[in-house]
Amino acid sequence: MELVTPGIGLIFWQTVTFIVVLFLLSKFAWKPIMASLREREHSIESALRMADQAKLEMQALKAGNEKLLQDARIERDRIMREASEAGTAIIEQAKARANDEGTRMIENARQAINNEKKAALTEVKNMAATLSIDIAERILKHELRDPAAQQALVTDYIKEVNLN
Amino acid sequence: MKKLFTLFFSLLTISGFAAEPAEEGGKFDPGQMITHHIGDEHSWELAHGATLHLPVILYGKNGLDIFSSSNFYDEHNNLKPYNGYVKEHGHIYYANEAGEPIIEKNSEGEEHHVGPLDFSITKNVASLFLSVALLLIVFFTVAGRYKSNPGKAPKGIQSFFEPIIIFVRDEIAKPNIGPKYERYVPYLLTIFFFIWFNNLLGLMPGGANLTGNIAVTMVLAVFTLIVTLFSSNKAYWAHIFKTPGVPVALLPIMIPIELVGILTKPFSLMVRLFANITAGHIIILSLFSLIFIFESIAIGPVSVAFATFMYFLELFVALLQAYVFTLLTAMYFGGATEEHDHADDMGHGDGGHY
């Protein structure tokens, strides 16, 4: 029975001491400890969150870079294509113009040649005619030195006139 | 500091075997020896011959009397009456002229001794003060560490206690009390470390059996009861006076049961801690007594082997009982503060709240 009979003295001291300990520990130990723990947990949590956010940002940045690079690549391809197209067009144009010019020049040359040829031919013809007349004149002069021959010729003419 | 702790705990384990008493002359009475060891005293016998006489504080018909308990002993270490008081079987009574306790008859005619109210600093009270000083030093140091290196990883003594503090907060308070747990964490931490430290101090050689004293466990249980009642909400009382799902006809039976239930919960806390710790002490002391009962040195190794095993078990029980007391306290708080009881525990608070 002794064992299970609480003594008044111990009840008193235990009550007083426990209240004092509860108060002192709550105020000077548990409060700062819990506050520090909470603070540390928050700081860890926020650090983790920030790391996550940074990761996401990095990803976004990387994606943005990728997109930018892609855009730049497309732009470059476009510019190069356009440039090559423009170059081809210019070459084509230049070729066409050179062709045209050549054709025109050949035509001109041909025309000039023809004209020259015609002129030359006309001159040759004229010269030939002059020469023929000269030759005929000389032949006639030579033929008609003899008065008999002149007579014969006149006779011929007269005969021909008679016939008409 | 960590080394100091290791030393502290290892000392605790090794020197436990020195606790067995040496009876001088006469027949060895294990029952008396054990009762003496688990009970309370007015002086603290640290080792045989090294006795610390503690102050006796009495309040009664002579007013307040404070004197050293050494006054009850003569030079041959025999008990003697002092200043109108006499000590018998660890209790102080009023003495008559012959130095015998005064006998009075109560209303039923039974004879009993009468004595003043004894507020003495007994062995248990001294041990209580010691443990409290230890608690304050340890946890003020720990709190100081948090202040001196805020936001850093814990070091030394701080890293030893931090997981335990977090365990009490996250595994005992949070799941059992619910959203309002934070208010109760200081109480739970105090009660947990108070019980644990005192359990361990009780296992020290020459230590007092403080947590195995029903007065101490009663006070702790009453504190839990008071906090429970003061934090109880409408739902808690509605559960008691109008238990949901119970037909009205059964309420006359249910209400007294529920009301008794309020008291049985702290009562179970009181008895559980008291019985567990006292039983552990009794078992270890009994095992050592075997050596003296058989009066043979051959039984020594067997006895010591069993006692060592029991000692390790007691070290575990010291922690376990602190945990159980705290856990059940948290459950009772949880039951009192819960808004809607979803747990299938009929309001007893010991159902699963996880």
Side-chain angles (χ1 to χ4, degrees), chain B residues 226-265:
Chain B
I226 290 170
V227 177
T228 310
L229 291 182
F230 271 97
S231 51
S232 59
N233 59 10
K234 236 192 272 173
Y236 176 73
W237 294 107
H239 215 284
I240 287 167
F241 289 108
K242 202 180 163 302
T243 315
V246 173
V248 180
L250 276 178
L251 283 182
I253 307 169
M254 286 306 290
I255 290 170
I257 290 175
E258 291 283 355
L259 285 175
V260 168
I262 298 176
L263 294 177
T264 54
K265 286 181 221 167

Side-chain angles (χ1 to χ4, degrees), chain B residues 77-98:
Chain B
N77 214 18
N78 291 320
L79 283 169
K80 60 166 187 169
Y82 173 77
N83 201 15
Y85 300 109
V86 65
K87 194 158 91 103
E88 201 181 86
H89 300 301
H91 289 278
I92 294 171
Y93 304 109
Y94 295 124
N96 55 21
E97 292 76 26

Side-chain angles (χ1 to χ4, degrees), chain A residues 2 13 30 38 40-41, chain B residues 91 119 162 169 182 190:
Chain A
E2 170 75 32
W13 289 114
W30 306 137
R38 221 174 5 249
R40 197 200 298 154
E41 274 157 19
Chain B
H91 289 278
F119 291 108
E162 187 179 298
R169 188 192 64 179
E182 238 161 280
T190 309

